[in-house]
Amino acid sequence: MGSNKVAFFDGDREISYERFSRDITAAQGFLKREFPEGCELLGLAASMGPYLHWVLHAACSIERITTLAMRPNQGIYNDIVVAGPIDLNHLGPSLVFDHKVLAELRATLPEQDNPGFDLFLEALRTGEDTVNRIVLTSGSTGISKAVPLTCKSVMGRFAVAERLHKLSAEHKMLTTLGRDTVGGYYFPIECFMVGATVLNLRRGGQDREQFAAMFRASTLFYSVPAIVQGMLTLISEPVQGAETRVMATMGSRLEPETADKCRALLAADVSSIYGSTEVGWVTRASGETVVADPSNTGKVYDEAVVEIVDAEGQLVPAGDDGIIRIHTPWMSPGYWDDGLVQPFEGGWFYPGDTGRLTPDGDLLVSGRTDDRLNYNGEKFDAVGLESQLKALAGIDDAFVAVVNIAARDRMVVMACSSLDPESLRTTLASVVSRVPFDLLPAARIPRNHMGKIERKRLSEYCRQILMQTLEQ
């Protein structure tokens, strides 16, 4: 690695791989001082800046310490030791690790022979079943699950990304995914593997000018559809570098109109990745594929295995719709529960999606098992219904649920619109015509940090609001 090669653009600072390596060595000293008897798991404070985070994670990797990127107010992990700046949100044991501490440790090191970075990569390559990171899922099912990612998982996912995106040292990568997500953890690592540059968003990415400058400089951009849609509302002309930029979204479906605009304004190479924290990437659909058929997630990667089964776990006839289950060589070994790993059922991961495989090996996702609404025995696809509603003139966003009140099913439509209530109801009724529905106008449809609707939680919220309305 060239000593002057830029590892990070951290706000307005350039940090070389040489400096990164030296700081990793310094952080190793911090860990050995604080944990003379060793340590199994270390929380990295949510208040820690991105550069400090990666310095300390790399040192933990060398020392075979598993890290967990904390989320604000993460009270369920108060028993875990957390390192970083003073974090008032964490009530448990804490260690101060900030730029002042790092500078003091760095000053004790020789100018040369600080192999921290090389040792970090070697630890990932040789760690095999060592758990490198605990990553929390998005929580769209109602609760975040803890997923242990081994070094073998990381290296397997890197092999896929290197092949798909032709990763090289010339890339400059920007992601809007938080460090507590699998993408925010993994994508910088793929850059380190090839000596590429990571563009760090500081202050949580809230500085719009800084974000715009970072995006123009990027050649690789990873995000979620909700953030990309917000970006597209602010621009009308192609952004600098669009003709060579590679862009991929994940976490939820990329709508055809959004994919078209991305190709015109943001990046020449646009794709939508289907996968999960648990199993990694499974398919990748190009922007052209998304526009042609939004349900088509692309061809299943050679090393991945996808099966379509019924509710009893039996394979359905070829071409039939059913429940999707996945196995990949780079999948997590299971869920982490109080220090123990609970394996997935039969070695398969069930993402909760339904769909089918085409004869050409494309995976078509038709919905989710928990997206199937049951209204008095009549079945509805919530996502499909919402897509139809959002396509109507005057409807910005929509959410559909079936709730039960006083032993009676009620269809609820939450809609964001500038239309008056009467016009809004008439417009919605053109799609939701088979059953009566209760209308809840809203300023926005709440989504989590991955852009997903937390359906169970929002359905219960709608039920409570509707009950209050009926009692008045």
Side-chain angles (χ1 to χ4, degrees):
M1 187 75 58
S3 60
N4 294 321
K5 180 73 172 66
V6 177
F8 295 91
F9 279 103
D10 192 49
D12 55 359
R13 297 186 304 156
E14 290 187 12
I15 301 174
S16 69
Y17 270 99
E18 180 182 44
R19 169 66 177 274
F20 184 33
S21 186
R22 192 177 181 196
D23 284 346
I24 293 170
T25 303
Q28 274 187 271
F30 170 80
L31 295 173
K32 290 176 179 177
R33 182 186 73 191
E34 298 294 340
F35 303 109
E37 303 300 320
C39 174
E40 292 185 2
L41 176 65
L42 182 64
L44 305 184
S47 56
M48 190 186 299
Y51 179 66
L52 281 177
H53 177 103
W54 281 110
V55 166
L56 192 52
H57 173 78
C60 284
S61 299
I62 299 168
E63 298 298 319
R64 296 290 193 254
I65 298 173
T66 302
T67 66
L68 169 68
M70 305 296 285
R71 290 176 179 169
N73 301 312
Q74 197 168 14
I76 58 172
Y77 292 113
N78 278 338
D79 58 330
I80 292 175
V81 177
V82 172
I86 295 175
D87 188 350
L88 299 180
N89 289 320
H90 183 64
L91 304 179
S94 299
L95 300 172
V96 175
F97 182 79
D98 55 19
H99 283 287
K100 180 181 178 183
V101 170
L102 183 60
E104 292 171 351
L105 291 163
R106 188 192 309 124
T108 66
L109 299 176
E111 288 294 330
Q112 305 297 327
D113 299 324
N114 294 296
F117 180 72
D118 290 337
L119 292 176
F120 169 41
L121 296 192
E122 184 65 17
L124 291 176
R125 293 187 182 111
T126 62
E128 290 294 319
D129 294 326
T130 300
V131 178
N132 187 250
R133 181 76 147 210
I134 302 291
V135 177
L136 297 177
T137 61
S138 64
S140 59
T141 58
I143 184 171
S144 293
K145 300 183 182 71
V147 180
L149 294 181
T150 64
C151 293
K152 182 163 61 177
S153 298
V154 174
M155 294 309 300
R157 296 176 194 215
F158 168 68
V160 175
E162 186 177 34
R163 184 170 70 248
L164 291 176
H165 289 159
K166 300 180 177 61
L167 298 173
S168 75
E170 304 310 311
H171 275 306
K172 296 181 177 66
M173 188 281 299
L174 174 66
T175 180
T176 62
L177 300 167
R179 299 187 302 272
D180 57 327
T181 69
V182 67
Y185 154 72
Y186 167 73
F187 291 130
I189 287 180
E190 73 176 25
C191 289
F192 302 148
M193 286 290 177
V194 297
T197 300
V198 176
L199 306 177
N200 281 339
L201 290 172
R202 307 186 75 181
R203 294 183 292 281
Q206 299 303 310
D207 186 326
R208 186 174 292 181
E209 289 187 8
Q210 183 205 62
F211 177 80
M214 289 287 192
F215 183 77
R216 287 193 296 270
S218 70
T219 59
L220 266 178
F221 179 62
Y222 297 112
S223 190
V224 295
I227 288 180
V228 171
Q229 289 165 359
M231 292 170 60
L232 291 171
T233 64
L234 302 175
I235 59 176
S236 57
E237 297 181 357
V239 177
Q240 174 185 322
E243 64 278 2
T244 57
R245 185 174 294 113
V246 174
M247 170 181 167
T249 65
M250 57 219 66
S252 59
R253 182 176 294 177
L254 186 65
E255 297 293 339
E257 182 181 358
T258 303
D260 246 353
K261 287 183 178 178
C262 287
R263 288 190 296 165
L265 301 175
L266 301 179
D269 184 340
V270 175
S271 62
S272 178
I273 294 171
Y274 176 77
S276 70
T277 302
E278 293 87 345
V279 296
W281 296 1
V282 179
T283 63
R284 173 178 178 266
S286 67
E288 293 87 344
T289 299
V290 171
V291 171
D293 180 2
S295 71
N296 192 338
T297 68
K299 282 187 170 43
V300 177
Y301 300 146
D302 291 342
E303 301 93 332
V305 179
V306 174
E307 292 185 348
I308 311 299
V309 298
D310 59 22
E312 283 71 46
Q314 301 301 309
L315 292 173
V316 303
D320 281 9
D321 243 41
I323 298 168
I324 295 171
R325 69 181 185 188
I326 303 167
H327 179 88
T328 68
W330 49 82
M331 69 192 294
S332 166
Y335 289 119
W336 182 79
D337 182 13
D338 197 23
L340 300 175
V341 175
Q342 305 296 333
F344 296 123
E345 180 184 348
W348 292 95
F349 173 65
Y350 291 76
D353 293 326
T354 59
R356 62 186 175 88
L357 288 166
T358 70
D360 293 331
D362 287 2
L363 175 62
L364 276 58
V365 176
S366 55
R368 288 189 58 79
T369 53
D370 56 0
D371 288 344
R372 301 294 178 92
L373 304 180
N374 186 338
Y375 179 86
N376 292 332
E378 191 167 0
K379 304 297 191 294
F380 293 86
D381 173 19
V383 173
L385 201 54
E386 288 161 2
S387 294
Q388 293 179 59
L389 292 174
K390 287 186 286 187
L392 296 172
I395 308 299
D396 299 320
D397 204 355
F399 168 74
V400 181
V402 171
V403 300
N404 191 276
I405 298 177
R408 176 188 168 194
D409 284 345
R410 302 183 75 110
M411 176 79 80
V412 182
V413 178
M414 179 181 280
C416 304
S417 174
S418 57
L419 299 175
D420 63 81
E422 185 176 347
S423 299
L424 176 57
R425 178 173 286 279
T426 301
T427 301
L428 295 174
S430 66
V431 170
V432 190
S433 57
R434 287 157 50 190
V435 299
F437 65 90
D438 294 288
L439 172 61
L440 294 180
R444 67 181 183 87
I445 304 298
R447 287 176 166 80
N448 63 23
H449 63 290
M450 289 295 288
K452 293 181 178 180
I453 296 174
E454 299 185 6
R455 292 192 172 275
K456 291 182 180 178
R457 189 174 298 174
L458 190 53
S459 294
E460 177 58 22
Y461 171 80
C462 290
R463 191 179 75 86
Q464 295 291 338
I465 293 296
L466 192 56
M467 285 178 63
Q468 293 173 16
T469 303
L470 294 173
E471 290 170 359
Q472 293 176 355

